Amino acid sequence: MHQDELFNDRQRLMLNKVLDGFEGKLTTSKWAKITQCSQDTALRDILDLVEQGVLEKDPGGGRSTSYSLKSLPGAARIARIARIVG
């Protein structure tokens, strides 16, 4: 599903962390801290992944806005994981 889409290094790092069992909620603050980027850059990375259909915004908003992997059928998820890791 996403095999032709490219992820930047920050996105690849964070998606692999999420796939490996990221603890807690994924927020722009955590993204920025882990990838050593600004919160604005973290938000742009996250919104790009939301637009691509990889992440989805969790219920709630404001300062508590968090994101999760979007549920995908098994085969599409395996293909996406292979693309992220590869």
Side-chain angles (χ1 to χ4, degrees):
M1 180 174 182
H2 299 283
Q3 71 184 38
D4 293 331
E5 296 170 5
L6 299 176
F7 301 107
N8 66 41
D9 291 338
R10 293 179 307 274
Q11 291 170 325
R12 191 173 293 111
L13 170 70
M14 291 304 295
L15 288 172
N16 282 321
K17 285 190 177 293
V18 170
L19 290 167
D20 288 340
F22 185 79
E23 294 291 323
K25 296 182 179 210
L26 178 59
T27 64
T28 56
S29 296
K30 288 181 184 179
W31 186 290
K33 185 173 183 177
I34 292 169
T35 63
Q36 298 180 347
C37 69
S38 70
Q39 285 198 20
D40 289 339
T41 298
L43 180 59
R44 282 190 296 271
D45 284 347
I46 291 170
L47 293 179
D48 180 49
L49 293 173
V50 169
E51 186 176 307
Q52 291 183 43
V54 176
L55 294 179
E56 61 187 354
K57 187 176 176 181
D58 294 337
R63 292 183 182 207
S64 63
T65 301
S66 60
Y67 303 85
S68 302
L69 280 176
K70 191 166 186 171
S71 299
L72 298 173
R77 187 176 186 136
I78 290 169
R80 182 175 54 80
I81 292 169
R83 176 65 180 154
I84 293 168
V85 173

